[in-house]
Amino acid sequence: MAHWLYKSEPASWSWQQQKDAGDKGTEWTGVRNYLARNNMRAMQLGDKGFFYHSNDGLEIVGVVEVCALAHPDSTAKDDLRWECVDIRAVRDMPKPVSLKDVKANPKLAQMALVTSMRLSVQPVTDEEWLEVCRMGGLDNPPV
């Protein structure tokens, strides 16, 4: 299993909206960056990810999982270059993990959230996953 981080502006799509979507989940649409798209193409069913509130909040607030593999993004009209996955909420982060705390942790110095801040869908290493879960109070992190 691989791990990921998905960024969303809470005014556009919030963690609460993601949870409200239920087990069916939602398409992670609107990504128009080739690297982020390629990250989604690499995802497998059941891969877990962090849900990150960008711009407003700047914190990891929940855990999601991939529930449908990469497919054409329904918001891309006839532009077949853009694909997305579907994700569903798994659980709240007991203690949201702020960007400030991530940047202050030397174990996370190479995390894409620190080094590639503008990338909207990014990989998370196993070590980073476990450290952020620890920071967020997840005693038995979903893997």
Side-chain angles (χ1 to χ4, degrees):
M1 290 283 166
H3 300 104
W4 308 94
L5 183 138
Y6 304 83
K7 289 183 174 183
S8 182
E9 295 179 25
S12 298
W13 187 255
S14 70
W15 175 237
Q16 187 59 52
Q17 288 172 294
Q18 186 66 50
K19 292 191 305 182
D20 290 347
D23 285 341
K24 182 179 180 236
T26 57
E27 288 185 318
W28 197 254
T29 59
V31 174
R32 300 296 183 265
N33 172 285
Y34 288 106
L35 182 53
R37 181 214 52 197
N38 291 345
N39 286 338
M40 288 191 287
R41 284 181 172 176
M43 293 176 184
Q44 299 296 314
L45 290 176
D47 280 1
K48 302 294 187 289
F50 293 126
F51 192 100
Y52 177 82
H53 275 168
S54 62
N55 290 344
D56 182 23
L58 300 176
E59 58 189 4
I60 296 167
V61 294
V63 175
V64 296
E65 75 178 351
V66 175
C67 59
L69 296 176
H71 56 84
D73 181 330
S74 65
T75 67
K77 308 223 183 328
D78 294 327
D79 191 345
L80 298 178
R81 291 177 295 172
W82 304 115
E83 297 178 10
C84 64
V85 295
D86 291 12
I87 61 172
R88 67 175 153 237
V90 173
R91 67 170 300 162
D92 293 326
M93 186 63 72
K95 176 187 169 206
V97 179
S98 71
L99 177 60
K100 181 180 175 183
D101 290 340
V102 168
K103 286 181 172 183
N105 186 329
K107 292 180 180 179
L108 302 175
Q110 296 305 310
M111 188 172 182
L113 186 59
V114 174
T115 63
S116 303
M117 290 184 58
R118 295 188 49 81
L119 187 61
S120 62
V121 178
Q122 44 188 251
V124 175
T125 68
D126 292 343
E127 294 79 15
E128 292 164 350
W129 178 262
L130 292 173
E131 183 63 12
V132 171
C133 286
R134 182 196 65 74
M135 292 169 68
L138 288 177
D139 297 329
N140 295 310
V143 290

